[in-house]
Amino acid sequence: MRGYQREINQVSRQRHDADRRSNLRLPTGASKMAGKAKSPCITKAKAMSANARPLRGRMMGYVVWVLALWAILLNLLNFNGYPIDTGEVALAFLGFGTIGAVLGVLTQELGPVLRHVLTPLFATIAIDLGFGIDPFHFLVVFAAFALISYFWYDLFLTVFFSASLSVIVFQAFGMAFADHGVDDRSNEATSTQRLEKGPADRPALIHVIFDSYLGLDGMALGPQYYRDLRKEQADFFIRQGFQVYPRAYSRHARTLNSLPTLFTYGAQKDSEFAAGVQYVAPAQLPYFADLDQRDYAISAVLPAYFDLCANQRMTRCRTFESSDLTSMLDTDLSTADRVKVFGYTILNLSQTVRMAVRVFEVLRNNRIENESRLMKDRSELFPLASLKMLDTFIDNLPTLRRGEARFAHILLPHDPYILRPDCTVKPESEWLDEHGPGATSARERAYADQVRCLQRKLGDLLNELDRTPAGREAIILFHGDHGSRIAPSQPIVDAPPLSPREEIMSFSTFYAIRIPGEASGEIPGTHALDELMADFRNRDFVSAPRPPSTAPRAAYIDPMGTPKEWRELPSFEP
């Protein structure tokens, strides 16, 4: 019993000593540290509590990117007037929704630090895809979004969620009530002609510029498949009553420089439009002013980027989008390929994404030989959109009357090379571009296929004209704006030099004219487009031009596309 009592007294003294030590006053700093020290369990529980955001906020973080991508897709489809009740649209929504869901998981599950980096980054990219901001402003917007996200993350998500949902509702409403069968752009001429006495009593004029249409003696340089193409082209046009100028050429290898030069008859040789320019509306051009002075009733159809509707005197004018998505609708292009075009089109809306991908492509191509097309080219549908407009131009020919001048600028046989000789569409995996990548021979054969498709369509156009009196007596002018440009690059002053053949491929340009009553055949001599157009004007637009033959001179450009140096072109002789 005494032993037991001694144990109790010992335990009691130990507790008393422990209580006394715990009441000792600690230094101020140590006291604070002791106050801050917590059990590991308590620390973990508190961290879990901090990360356990409300369920509503977490769900919004998962869903917001799905809505953002759907909003961007709907905006693209609505702008192009693309019907949503198609398999490719359903597949695109599924694919974009999957990507959005993955982005949601990344932003919600990788921790708060990455969340506050990825969320504003994805939001900035979404804004860029919708509005197209330059890289500097991309960084400014990203920094602003990162700051807002850090302090008011849930509010930021709520606003972005609401904005994306609003865009979806707005676009869906617009698509539901839009009548895409009615073309509200049927006449965009803002400087309307005043033909007080009506159109002139003179033969109708059909003038069509075909983009990147190589001249006959450019084709003659070979190899054999090009020489075969030359023979087919010459036989076709001479049989149809045309005078063909095999050695016609353009002074410029870029459309935005070549068209002002030929429409001013060579007076504007040094047109300056920087590379990357998306829209040009030239002032009144002498060619169209001359047609107007002769009381031609002028109508035109052309790509929106070189807008003649704004300042030229015309009766009717219509622009079209160079890569109109609806041009895919009546083709054999697969559902998967159409979705690819949707995706690349959206990616190319962002300048920053394009720049980042281009840097990656350059680094990749420096390390390994690569045959993949560049992303910037994979959204282009120039031939398809132009084929659609050429069909419309042909369909309207039965209404042609004397005194009309009908002009068109058609982006054929411009790249990408996507059409077979019968004008059906190749799979997207077989599409090729003028500057590569890919073997030159493959690109040239694909270009020849596209020229043969164009020849087929020109046969339809001429057959339609031959059905009416006004069409049979019409003066018909077909020509290119520059060469095929199938070369490593455009003719740039300080770039690696092009071979003589590649130079000719850049500038040799098709030119053919049919004047009722004049004999067909090949016209000798070397002539610039502006010289041919000036002599045609001097002959009052009623007889074929015969300017003197001159040594060919053309402009080399700087990397921004501005003409910097005039050079003699090599001989057209094989």
Side-chain angles (χ1 to χ4, degrees), residues 545-564:
R546 290 291 189 275
S549 179
T550 58
R553 296 181 72 249
Y556 269 59
I557 58 176
D558 65 16
M560 294 306 297
T562 304
K564 288 296 181 182

Side-chain angles (χ1 to χ4, degrees), residues 66-67 69-75 77 83-100 168 172 175 339 342:
V66 176
L67 294 183
L69 292 179
W70 282 354
I72 294 168
L73 177 60
L74 272 176
N75 185 55
L77 297 175
I84 60 173
D85 56 342
T86 59
E88 58 268 22
V89 171
L91 184 58
F93 269 102
L94 178 62
F96 279 50
T98 302
I99 294 171
I168 290 175
M175 297 178 79
V339 174
F342 290 162

Side-chain angles (χ1 to χ4, degrees), residues 411-442:
L411 303 180
L412 273 171
H414 196 290
D415 73 328
Y417 310 128
I418 67 180
L419 298 173
R420 301 185 181 94
D422 62 358
C423 294
T424 56
V425 183
K426 300 175 182 178
E428 195 269 347
S429 59
E430 298 179 16
W431 296 4
L432 297 171
D433 306 293
E434 60 187 16
H435 298 312
T440 300
S441 60

Side-chain angles (χ1 to χ4, degrees), residues 191-348:
S191 183
T192 309
Q193 288 181 282
R194 297 179 180 178
L195 302 175
E196 297 177 356
K197 298 179 181 179
D201 185 21
R202 55 192 299 154
L205 172 63
I206 302 294
H207 181 184
V208 186
I209 295 177
F210 294 102
D211 214 293
S212 302
Y213 201 172
L214 183 63
L216 291 185
D217 275 7
M219 299 176 187
L221 295 177
Q224 189 58 46
Y225 50 78
Y226 261 11
R227 288 190 282 270
D228 292 342
L229 181 64
R230 186 207 189 280
K231 184 178 186 307
E232 292 174 29
Q233 291 273 286
D235 290 348
F236 171 80
F237 282 101
I238 292 173
R239 186 172 63 249
Q240 293 286 351
F242 282 83
Q243 300 171 63
V244 187
Y245 298 70
R247 295 192 176 181
Y249 73 96
S250 172
R251 296 192 190 275
H252 298 279
R254 295 183 68 240
T255 301
L256 293 184
N257 293 327
S258 66
L259 293 189
T261 299
L262 71 92
F263 286 142
T264 60
Y265 311 119
Q268 190 172 330
K269 285 188 173 68
D270 293 322
S271 306
E272 294 187 10
F273 294 110
V277 169
Q278 301 296 316
Y279 176 79
V280 172
Q284 180 70 53
L285 296 165
Y287 173 67
F288 293 101
D290 287 338
L291 295 181
D292 179 53
Q293 289 173 4
R294 288 162 175 76
D295 289 331
Y296 276 105
I298 308 169
S299 60
V301 58
L302 55 142
Y305 74 88
F306 191 80
D307 187 0
L308 298 176
C309 301
N311 298 313
Q312 313 307 312
R313 286 188 176 276
M314 296 186 180
T315 300
R316 300 187 69 81
C317 192
R318 159 78 191 274
T319 63
F320 63 92
E321 294 300 324
S322 302
S323 292
D324 181 11
L325 294 179
T326 61
S327 61
M328 297 190 293
L329 287 172
D330 297 323
T331 70
D332 296 329
L333 202 60
S334 70
T335 297
D337 283 346
R338 297 182 190 195
V339 174
K340 285 182 188 178
V341 174
F342 290 162
Y344 287 121
T345 300
I346 288 175
L347 288 175
N348 277 315

Side-chain angles (χ1 to χ4, degrees), residues 250-526:
S250 172
R251 296 192 190 275
H252 298 279
R254 295 183 68 240
T255 301
L256 293 184
N257 293 327
S258 66
L259 293 189
T261 299
L262 71 92
F263 286 142
T264 60
Y265 311 119
Q268 190 172 330
K269 285 188 173 68
D270 293 322
S271 306
E272 294 187 10
F273 294 110
V277 169
Q278 301 296 316
Y279 176 79
V280 172
Q284 180 70 53
L285 296 165
Y287 173 67
F288 293 101
D290 287 338
L291 295 181
D292 179 53
Q293 289 173 4
R294 288 162 175 76
D295 289 331
Y296 276 105
I298 308 169
S299 60
V301 58
L302 55 142
Y305 74 88
F306 191 80
D307 187 0
L308 298 176
C309 301
N311 298 313
Q312 313 307 312
R313 286 188 176 276
M314 296 186 180
T315 300
R316 300 187 69 81
C317 192
R318 159 78 191 274
T319 63
F320 63 92
E321 294 300 324
S322 302
S323 292
D324 181 11
L325 294 179
T326 61
S327 61
M328 297 190 293
L329 287 172
D330 297 323
T331 70
D332 296 329
L333 202 60
S334 70
T335 297
D337 283 346
R338 297 182 190 195
V339 174
K340 285 182 188 178
V341 174
F342 290 162
Y344 287 121
T345 300
I346 288 175
L347 288 175
N348 277 315
L349 294 175
S350 166
Q351 295 183 42
T352 306
V353 170
R354 285 203 311 270
M355 183 178 69
V357 172
R358 183 59 187 142
V359 170
F360 168 77
E361 289 171 338
V362 170
L363 294 175
R364 177 195 62 189
N365 294 345
N366 287 340
R367 297 185 63 182
I368 59 173
E369 185 174 349
N370 183 66
E371 298 295 320
S372 299
R373 297 175 67 210
L374 303 179
M375 190 193 77
K376 68 180 182 63
D377 298 326
R378 300 191 72 167
S379 61
E380 292 179 350
L381 296 172
F382 298 162
L384 276 186
S386 286
L387 199 63
K388 176 182 174 181
M389 295 313 302
L390 182 57
D391 285 339
T392 301
F393 185 84
I394 294 171
D395 291 342
N396 291 331
L397 288 177
T399 63
L400 182 70
R401 299 292 181 266
R402 285 178 60 84
E404 285 191 65
R406 296 197 181 182
F407 172 81
H409 177 195
I410 301 298
L411 303 180
L412 273 171
H414 196 290
D415 73 328
Y417 310 128
I418 67 180
L419 298 173
R420 301 185 181 94
D422 62 358
C423 294
T424 56
V425 183
K426 300 175 182 178
E428 195 269 347
S429 59
E430 298 179 16
W431 296 4
L432 297 171
D433 306 293
E434 60 187 16
H435 298 312
T440 300
S441 60
R443 286 179 279 144
E444 289 182 340
R445 289 178 184 276
Y447 175 83
D449 285 346
Q450 206 138 283
V451 171
R452 291 186 174 98
C453 165
L454 174 58
Q455 179 178 309
R456 179 189 183 98
K457 287 296 179 180
L458 292 181
D460 295 340
L461 185 154
L462 295 171
N463 289 338
E464 197 64 55
L465 284 174
D466 287 342
R467 291 175 181 163
T468 64
R472 286 191 292 271
E473 69 171 8
I475 295 171
I476 307 169
L477 174 60
F478 295 147
H479 64 83
D481 60 342
H482 50 67
S484 66
R485 302 190 303 200
I486 298 179
S489 69
Q490 292 198 32
I492 298 175
V493 172
D494 295 322
L498 301 178
S499 69
R501 181 178 180 274
E502 289 168 344
E503 283 191 272
I504 294 295
M505 293 296 156
S506 298
F507 295 102
S508 171
T509 307
F510 186 85
Y511 193 95
I513 189 168
R514 186 171 86 174
I515 307 286
E518 294 189 9
S520 62
E522 294 190 20
I523 309 302
T526 304

